[in-house]
Amino acid sequence: MSAFKDMVEADISSVFLNPDEFGETHNLNGANCICVIASDMTEERKASLAGGKRTPEGLHGDYLTICVKSSDLPEVPAQGTSFKVDGKRYTVDACTEDMGMLSIELGAYRMRGGF
């Protein structure tokens, strides 16, 4: 591995996912992992579903973006599959992998008033 890749790998755990900095332990699809979770409440994100479709009237949702070390999950989540975060079920809207990190975009779509 190159020196740069070694530095990036070291920074993932010691800086970005460091529990004393940004990292928190969460249960991701049954695996306890140190990760960073951000709630994504932007208007653009609220207005779209997976595949770029407009949100049908009456739907709303909870949106998360999770950054986690690729090796901490048993498999890379596929778009459209179910994914649990601390026991709550979401749908994978997108998942990208870059230099040992996964960025997983999740949505939990609900009817207004529940169902």
Side-chain angles (χ1 to χ4, degrees), residues 66 68 70 76-77 94-98 101-105:
I66 299 175
V68 64
S70 302
V76 174
C95 181
T96 56
E97 186 172 10
D98 188 25
M101 289 288 293
L102 292 175
S103 180
I104 309 166
E105 294 180 25

Side-chain angles (χ1 to χ4, degrees), residues 33-93:
C33 305
I34 296 175
C35 59
V36 174
I37 297 181
S39 294
D40 188 350
M41 299 304 293
T42 64
E43 290 305 313
E44 181 179 334
R45 173 85 175 188
K46 283 183 185 180
S48 66
L49 290 168
K53 299 174 187 169
R54 296 282 303 163
T55 303
E57 190 63 36
L59 281 185
H60 68 102
D62 297 324
Y63 310 98
L64 299 177
T65 299
I66 299 175
C67 295
V68 64
K69 198 172 182 180
S70 302
S71 61
D72 286 351
L73 291 179
E75 63 185 19
V76 174
Q79 183 179 10
T81 61
S82 180
F83 192 91
K84 286 188 177 181
V85 178
D86 297 328
K88 183 175 179 181
R89 199 182 110 229
Y90 291 84
T91 299
V92 177
D93 288 339

